[in-house]
Amino acid sequence: MRKNRLVTIIAQDPSIRIQGKILTAKVSIPEENLLPGPRGHRIHVVDYDSTTKTFYQPSLISDHDPFISASNAQLLNNPAFHAQNVYAIITRTLGCFESALGRRIPWSFGGHQIKVAPHAFSDVNAFYSRKSEALLFGYFPSRNKGKQVFTCLSHDVIVHETTHALLDGIRPRLTDPSAPDQAAFHEGFADIISLLSVFSLPEIVDVALDRKPHQGRWQLRKSLLLAIAKEIGQEIHESPARALRQPALLHPFRIWRQQQEFLIPHRRGEILVSAFLQAFLKSWEQRVQNLSGIRNHFPQRNRVIEEGASIASLFLTSFIRSLDYLPPVNLLFEDVLTALLTAHYESFPQDPPLLVRHSLREGFKAFGIYPVLFPESREPGLQPVFQKDLDYSSTHFESMQKNREEVHRFLWQNRQALNLHEHSHLQVDSVNPMVRPGSDGFTRQEIVAVYVESLAVQAGELFWFQPQIPKPTEMPDTLTVNLTGGGTLIFNEHGKVKYHIRSPLTEPSRQRLILSYLWKTGHYSA
């Protein structure tokens, strides 16, 4: 049986304090044979500061946590704690993904260990770098003279950047040039995981909730904790009420696609985050109301806290699982909602009393985002179960569970039934087993296989290739345009295709949108 150890982390960031004390939490992470750094089998903390040319002494996480009762000064100024904080939060985030998806998650760069630099440079920044195989956290001087703000002490920032790295390992083509929704999804997804990761800690929900109910109701929506990077935002904006991003304060509206500011990935990602938060908060409020009805009195504060953390964990798992129900390229927000509804249905076909799927539809609808509608779906907004007859005679299911060549053979054998383009270059990107508990209590084993189609066409030939995909007016006829499409196949435990989730190479509306956007933004410029 796997052993765990409890370690102390900063629950949100150093700006969140209770009676002047930085709010911390104890989280459980897998116990492993660590080397100094800490350095484990997936994460290697290398504490080198490139600005001051300083290499900090590698630290080690032991069974006895020296920071259980640490003072604010120790938490803020001890590099050993900073190393422990990033290692524990990254490990916890990785564990959430692997538990939700039912498999090990690779890093996109091929190595087994991602490097983590808690004090990488002096700058108001933190980022994931595939090229450097690293998560790099900056620091900068605070407005309070003599103090430093460390991004490696912000739970939001650490989870956000870790999520970028994990998403890059699961779906590496989502960083390819495409429609603006795709880049925005990367940012919005990372923000949502950050918020839910924080809210799954009861210590944080306790702080987020009012000390006393207002006019007989708990005010769940008006909290600075429903924001990203509070301390950093407060420093940048020189205001205690400002965070770096506050999607919960974004009032629902439907004309954001026509506004220039929402072409910026972080800003556009806030639409996705805000729509998701609408659903999360609605489900939480509904559960609180149900508690009131069951008990015939106003629910106690500790029950509201417990339900908030529980619902955050449920939404966190569903959102991570939705990655397996996305097309691999040319992503739109409509695909995200459809995948989320389908992932939740797979775990909860009857939808529990929280009415999660209804809340999700309503939350996204407020921003004019609707799921892809299939007439054969069992429920509005779900991916339909695949019904076509396919040829399984030339493939071996056991081999197909782990061999990309076997899946490629299956695709080639069934290219007409699966509507693959006859002239495209076909590549299977990944094949992964998926082990999850079914709604009947039994473990379900399925396979997730991802393939991509690509085709290079001269702009002047686009009309003959697909009349409904015209080239932009000023684009030269001789310019080579790279069209991509692809799909995700879910094979059930009997080796039959259960879902075929596609972004077709020849889909006119999607390809027109991508081509126009990439031309306008200079992707095809010399």
Side-chain angles (χ1 to χ4, degrees), residues 178-181 332 508-518:
S178 186
D181 281 5
L332 302 178
S509 60
R510 203 172 296 225
Q511 294 293 355
R512 281 199 306 269
L513 172 66
I514 296 167
L515 192 62
S516 174
Y517 175 73
L518 293 181

Side-chain angles (χ1 to χ4, degrees), residues 66 68 122 129 280 429 434 437 493 496 519:
I68 291 177
S122 178
S129 169
F280 166 64
D429 274 3
M434 174 174 66
E493 56 192 350
K496 307 299 182 183
W519 175 250

Side-chain angles (χ1 to χ4, degrees), residues 71 81 83 147 179 371:
S71 66
F81 174 73
K147 294 184 178 180

Side-chain angles (χ1 to χ4, degrees), residues 210-436:
D210 300 320
R211 293 293 104 185
K212 294 181 179 180
H214 177 67
Q215 295 181 349
R217 295 192 65 183
W218 295 107
Q219 299 297 300
L220 305 180
R221 294 174 181 263
K222 297 179 180 180
S223 171
L224 189 61
L225 294 178
L226 289 172
I228 304 297
K230 290 72 170 174
E231 185 180 41
I232 296 172
Q234 290 165 2
E235 293 288 345
I236 292 174
H237 300 297
E238 298 186 5
S239 168
R242 289 291 299 276
L244 192 62
R245 291 188 294 281
Q246 295 180 259
L249 301 182
L250 188 62
H251 188 73
F253 70 113
R254 300 189 178 197
I255 61 170
W256 52 271
R257 288 185 178 89
Q258 285 76 52
Q259 298 186 6
Q260 190 70 22
E261 67 173 297
F262 288 102
L263 289 177
I264 301 169
H266 277 101
R267 186 67 170 139
R268 196 179 189 90
E270 287 188 52
I271 297 292
L272 186 66
V273 181
S274 185
F276 190 86
L277 284 179
Q278 298 287 331
F280 166 64
L281 291 168
K282 185 174 182 179
S283 292
W284 191 4
E285 289 167 345
Q286 179 65 47
R287 185 56 181 162
V288 171
Q289 291 173 14
N290 290 347
L291 288 174
S292 301
I294 292 171
R295 302 179 182 283
N296 273 335
H297 62 71
F298 195 69
Q300 294 181 345
R301 177 184 174 82
N302 65 334
R303 285 306 309 275
V304 178
I305 293 170
E306 184 180 306
E307 292 298 333
S310 174
I311 293 169
S313 294
L314 184 150
F315 270 79
L316 179 64
T317 298
S318 293
F319 201 46
I320 294 172
R321 286 180 177 173
S322 72
L323 294 175
D324 280 344
Y325 301 91
L326 289 173
V329 291
N330 303 337
L331 201 61
L332 302 178
F333 283 170
E334 288 76 7
D335 299 316
V336 177
L337 176 55
T338 306
L340 187 50
L341 294 171
T342 305
H344 186 268
Y345 177 88
E346 285 294 302
S347 298
F348 305 100
Q350 301 304 317
D351 207 355
L354 296 173
L355 297 174
V356 170
R357 292 198 290 279
H358 174 74
S359 298
L360 286 167
R361 291 190 191 94
E362 291 300 307
F364 279 77
K365 179 182 177 182
F367 287 91
I369 303 170
Y370 300 88
V372 182
L373 294 178
F374 301 95
E376 63 271 36
S377 290
R378 295 145 294 173
E379 183 182 301
L382 299 184
Q383 281 285 345
V385 173
F386 192 81
Q387 299 290 349
K388 290 183 181 179
D389 290 329
L390 296 173
D391 182 2
Y392 296 90
S393 63
S394 300
T395 51
H396 304 280
F397 179 58
E398 183 178 354
S399 177
M400 199 152 55
Q401 295 180 60
K402 51 184 177 294
N403 193 311
R404 290 188 299 163
E405 302 304 325
E406 195 73 38
V407 174
H408 186 274
R409 179 173 181 170
F410 172 81
L411 290 169
W412 188 259
Q413 189 76 13
N414 293 281
R415 57 190 183 277
Q416 291 183 336
L418 294 171
N419 295 318
L420 304 181
H421 195 276
E422 60 179 336
H423 297 303
S424 69
H425 171 70
L426 178 64
Q427 178 173 325
V428 177
D429 274 3
S430 62
V431 181
N432 290 294
M434 174 174 66
V435 181
R436 295 178 189 168

Side-chain angles (χ1 to χ4, degrees), residues 139-155:
Y139 61 92
F140 59 96
S142 169
R143 288 181 290 115
N144 298 320
K145 293 183 179 181
K147 294 184 178 180
Q148 296 280 0
V149 175
F150 297 97
T151 63
C152 68
L153 296 182
S154 170
H155 195 129

Side-chain angles (χ1 to χ4, degrees), residues 90 107-111 113-117 120-121 125-137 157-158 160-169 175 186-187:
I90 294 168
W107 304 118
S108 67
F109 44 80
Q113 296 171 321
I114 192 167
K115 274 70 74 179
V116 182
F121 44 72
N125 201 1
F127 59 90
Y128 156 67
S129 169
R130 182 195 290 181
K131 182 179 179 180
S132 299
E133 305 181 5
L135 294 168
L136 306 165
F137 297 94
V157 173
I158 297 168
H160 180 99
E161 301 307 333
T162 303
T163 300
H164 277 312
L166 291 168
L167 185 53
D168 197 32
T175 58
H186 232 287
E187 298 300 336

